[in-house]
Amino acid sequence: PASISSPGQPNTTTQPLLTGLFDVTVTDSNGCTGSDAATVVVINPPVLSDFDTSIVIGDIINLPFDADPNVFIITWTPAEGLSCDNCPLPSLQPMVDVEYLLEVTDILGCFTSSATYKVEIKPETFIKLPTTFTPNGDGVNDIIYLEGWGIKDLMEFQIYNRWGEMVFETNDKAIGWDGYYKGVLQNNDVYAFKVRAVTWRDETQTLEGYINLMR
């Protein structure tokens, strides 16, 4: 810890650069001493820099600024589209290009720093399905999922065997086919699929084709 010894100088000051514990010792004219300790908390301005990135339409992003809200006052402008306008790491799901101003002030009002955050939206949308999956229980490629960019809603995802029997159906893009039908793992074969989805551009896209099940 740093030390301050100030006989005859009751108003001795210091300007520490880092938070630390300070010992204070006082000696009177009779040689009697007293001491105490105090922690001095130093708040340094955060290092801010402008942020610029691009995401696919429909994706969710967190604006990358992380700081202790008990030490700093954080303000994002404008507030529209953000999960919160006074917190670190706010999330947003923009449909068009956006720009935000970040202002950070310490709780004592000693300084204010600012930076500009820009997010460019790429209006790319497509749907696809892998050509092969291997539901053999090894934890790799065991489930076949719909893939793509900019998918807002999955209207239907259906898979049929060679006899035209539907062996799988869902409208939840987080759910895929594990190769089972009526509790039985299906044979190695070629299966037909149909997909219909709505993109974040409010366009309906369809896809039909074939997948290979290989155990």
Side-chain angles (χ1 to χ4, degrees):
S3 295
I4 301 176
S5 181
S6 54
Q9 301 180 41
N11 295 319
T12 296
T13 61
T14 184
Q15 291 182 309
L17 299 178
L18 299 173
T19 297
L21 179 66
F22 286 78
D23 292 328
V24 179
T25 301
V26 179
T27 303
D28 65 14
S29 59
N30 297 318
C32 298
T33 62
S35 62
D36 202 350
T39 299
V40 177
V41 178
V42 178
I43 302 176
N44 290 307
V47 178
L48 297 183
S49 58
D50 291 343
F51 174 79
D52 193 346
T53 191
S54 60
I55 62 173
V56 173
I57 187 170
D59 283 356
I60 297 174
I61 185 175
N62 288 92
L63 298 182
F65 173 74
D66 195 4
D68 186 351
N70 296 316
V71 176
F72 299 103
I73 299 171
I74 302 167
T75 304
W76 297 92
T77 307
E80 182 180 358
L82 298 177
S83 60
C84 59
D85 63 355
N86 60 355
C87 66
L89 297 171
S91 63
L92 65 153
Q93 190 180 33
M95 297 295 113
V96 296
D97 295 352
V98 292
E99 180 176 324
Y100 292 94
L101 174 66
L102 167 64
E103 291 186 325
V104 182
T105 304
D106 69 292
I107 56 176
L108 299 178
C110 296
F111 61 81
T112 297
S113 301
S114 63
T116 300
Y117 284 61
K118 297 180 181 179
V119 181
E120 178 187 4
I121 303 303
K122 294 186 176 296
E124 300 179 20
T125 59
F126 72 88
I127 55 176
K128 72 173 185 178
L129 210 64
T131 58
T132 303
F133 76 119
T134 57
N136 53 17
D138 65 355
V140 179
N141 199 30
D142 284 334
I143 301 176
I144 190 165
Y145 293 98
L146 176 68
E147 299 177 354
W149 282 352
I151 301 173
K152 181 180 180 180
D153 291 308
L154 176 60
M155 307 303 292
E156 62 179 11
F157 173 18
Q158 301 172 340
I159 298 177
Y160 299 83
N161 61 23
R162 63 171 56 250
W163 297 281
E165 185 176 16
M166 187 169 63
V167 297
F168 174 76
E169 181 181 26
T170 186
N171 60 1
D172 186 342
K173 59 186 177 182
I175 297 176
W177 187 38
D178 60 3
Y180 284 79
Y181 176 56
K182 294 183 177 180
V184 178
L185 181 59
Q186 299 302 286
N187 295 325
N188 289 356
D189 209 339
V190 176
Y191 295 79
F193 70 84
K194 295 180 180 180
V195 175
R196 183 165 58 95
V198 176
T199 71
W200 284 102
R201 298 173 67 183
D202 291 325
E203 301 170 339
T204 298
Q205 293 191 10
T206 60
L207 182 67
E208 296 185 6
Y210 298 91
I211 57 173
N212 297 287
L213 187 158
M214 300 179 61
R215 290 196 269 171

